[in-house]
Amino acid sequence: MTLTDTEQFTVRRSSAEQSCAGLLPAVLPPAGHFIGGTFVPGSSTRLIDVVDPTTEQVIASVQAGTASDVDVAVEAAVAAQKSWGATTPKERSEVLSLIANIIEANREAFEIIESANTGKPRMVAEDDVSSTIDTFRFMAGASRTLTSMAGGDYATGHTSVILREPVGVVGVITPWNYPLLMAAWKIAPILAAGNSIVLKPSEQTPLSTLKLAELVAGRIPDGILNVVTGQGRTVGQRLAEHPDIALIALTGSVVSGQAVAETAGRSVKRVHLELGGKAPVVVFPDADVRAAAAGVRNAGFWNAGQDCGAACRVLVHESVAEEFTEHLVREVGTLVVGAPDGGDDVEIGPMISRPHFERVKESLAEAKAAGLQVAIGGSALEGTGYFIEPTVISNVPAGAHIATHEIFGPVVTVESFSSTEEAITRANESPYGLSASVWTRDSSLSLSVPKQLDFGTVWVNSHLVLACEVPWGGFKGSGYGRDLSLYALDDYSRTKHVMINHSA
Ligand code: NAD
């Protein structure tokens, strides 16, 4: 089945009065870096334009930060960390709960900012804000329940005590796909563990992080959370090299992760990397094929596929490949593309920027040039905004470029396999190792296959379901370190062994 009619999808526009862009001026945060609890001008007069990808209009400008802006922020973070690190888990928990309450009380402002800055549909923005609040609430509780190895007499005449300590100042670099949520995934555990932060949001989407800074200013201890806006190669680079930063955490592309790890290595800084993904979806012949197709519709196209865990690479058994593809094409045909306020049923927004839009278009052109079969979608949409049709490319041969590199757009590829061993080998033949899913009703396969897959998260009969209690992070090219769960608290603290000699 193919539905390549270019009229399949159109962009549902919103009226000017309803649009996020119209509501935005009232909720925009102050410009400037947020250092030591207040907004301050940067050392350079250079600005970075922030663009709404739906309208292609500049909606704000932020400071192009410099290395010396980072240095000032680190100084504030070092000063603040001393007393913050000495607070009790209960006190830190109260601050995190307060941040959750502040976000909840201002959720409309965050949703407007996030939709205007990224073009994401309101349903996605609402989910982002809810998950952000839950992240702070979870870490507020989790920070009070830490456990470690039991203290005890492990050497004769000596008692050992194991301490979990903050690491100090943590540098954080966030991406543009979930600007507020990815910041929360770092800020909550890092503060919970007693560290202070200097955070650089993506230069493309700094507004919701600055809004958070504006709203918490004066209500949380000054200097524990600092925000310096700017480019990766200046602000990000300085965070990675600064001698007073103990750990650098980045969520972003593999290339940025490599640059940060290389720089951080010079000062033997700890590194935490959440990088790209290309999640395989392995559909066995006994699976509920209809449910698998519906799962890919939701998990492959959420946030217009701009998700590191997106269900973007289907490997389906040859005996059900045609049936699966038919269901998937039908499912994808129901997706509504549009502006954030184009209606409650809009599920697909634009690509984040013109360069990214061009990259996704190039991937589609390359697939077409290689003679691959576009089952639905396959083109950019006419008019203003960086919209791409939800796309399914079927009958993709093993090793095809489109099925191995991260497209980060609303594009799902379908390959087929003939044996379980082949499915596992092909799924693992990826430079990435972030997440995967397995679709089967066979209880034996539901455990044996996940155990053989080289991915940090493997769902069975599901995909892209996250919870704060469980870890998120990758293997191989997808990086190392874990977000969410108690594992994140572990990552952002250090272990100290104190041994006391009884006879002294
Ligand atoms: P990106 O790597 O272009 O940018 C991410 C951040 O890194 C930005 O703040 C950027 O300014 C900064 N940066 C870029 N070069 C740098 C350098 N040399 N030194 C220091 N900082 C630098 O990524 P993006 O385009 O914003 O986000 C998309 C990527 O993020 C995708 O690959 C996606 O898979 C990944 N991602 C991963 C996860 C995860 O949990 N694993 C979550 C979201 C996004």
Side-chain angles (χ1 to χ4, degrees), residues 173-174 176-177 200 203 251-253 256 275-276 308 406 408 472:
I173 301 172
T174 55
W176 49 257
N177 58 346
K200 188 201 89 65
E203 58 278 18
T251 300
S253 62
S256 307
L275 308 178
C308 46
E406 190 183 42
F408 226 57
W472 176 254

Side-chain angles (χ1 to χ4, degrees), residues 277-283 299 308-315 423-424 426-428 430 432-439 449-466 472-475 478:
K278 181 83 182 176
V281 176
V282 184
V283 184
C308 46
C312 55
R313 180 190 173 206
V314 178
L315 284 152
I424 293 165
R426 298 249 308 273
N428 284 336
S430 165
Y432 298 108
L434 187 58
S435 61
S437 64
V438 175
W439 296 76
V449 176
K451 283 176 77 169
Q452 296 173 76
L453 291 176
D454 241 352
F455 297 84
T457 294
V458 182
W459 293 277
V460 179
N461 297 323
S462 187
H463 198 114
L464 214 56
V465 178
L466 304 181
W472 176 254
F475 301 152
S478 295

Side-chain angles (χ1 to χ4, degrees), residues 150-231:
D153 293 2
Y154 298 104
T156 307
H158 293 72
T159 298
S160 288
V161 179
I162 305 294
L163 302 176
R164 294 298 294 169
E165 297 184 339
V167 294
V169 178
V170 179
V172 174
I173 301 172
T174 55
W176 49 257
N177 58 346
Y178 298 101
L180 181 67
L181 183 59
M182 291 302 99
W185 280 16
K186 305 298 185 204
I187 295 170
I190 292 171
L191 290 184
N195 308 286
S196 59
I197 300 171
V198 180
L199 185 155
K200 188 201 89 65
S202 166
E203 58 278 18
Q204 295 172 75
T205 56
L207 301 179
S208 53
T209 307
L210 290 172
K211 187 70 187 175
L212 178 63
E214 177 195 3
L215 292 171
V216 301
R219 302 183 67 186
I220 67 171
D222 292 346
I224 60 169
L225 172 64
N226 305 277
V227 180
V228 178
T229 55
Q231 303 286 351

Side-chain angles (χ1 to χ4, degrees), residues 73-143:
V74 172
E75 215 179 304
V78 168
Q81 198 275 325
K82 287 188 180 59
S83 48
W84 177 247
T87 54
T88 60
K90 176 172 184 282
E91 289 164 327
R92 295 202 286 273
S93 164
E94 281 163 1
V95 169
L96 292 184
S97 295
L98 175 65
I99 296 174
N101 293 345
I102 290 171
I103 296 169
E104 189 160 48
N106 293 278
R107 60 175 308 148
E108 177 76 9
F110 283 109
E111 287 164 18
I112 291 166
I113 289 172
E114 215 66 322
S115 282
N117 198 169
T118 64
K120 61 176 71 194
R122 286 305 283 270
M123 69 165 77
V124 181
E126 283 168 21
D127 187 75
D128 286 9
V129 176
S130 297
S131 302
T132 297
I133 295 165
D134 193 45
T135 302
F136 280 102
R137 295 234 159 98
F138 170 77
M139 287 299 169
S143 60

Side-chain angles (χ1 to χ4, degrees), residues 293-376:
V296 172
R297 174 201 191 277
N298 296 331
F301 294 90
W302 183 254
N303 208 34
Q306 298 170 120
D307 190 303
C308 46
C312 55
R313 180 190 173 206
V314 178
L315 284 152
V316 54
H317 190 268
E318 58 193 7
S319 64
V320 290
E322 201 180 326
E323 184 193 350
F324 171 85
T325 308
E326 277 180 18
H327 285 306
L328 181 60
V329 167
R330 202 169 299 121
E331 286 281 355
V332 172
T334 65
L335 288 167
V336 176
V337 181
D341 290 315
D344 289 345
D345 53 347
V346 169
E347 289 182 72
I348 306 287
M351 301 294 91
I352 188 66
S353 63
R354 175 147 304 269
H356 185 50
F357 178 59
E358 297 299 335
R359 272 197 299 273
V360 176
K361 284 201 297 184
E362 254 168 54
S363 294
L364 293 174
E366 198 183 291
K368 287 181 195 165
L372 298 183
Q373 191 179 333
V374 178
I376 187 168

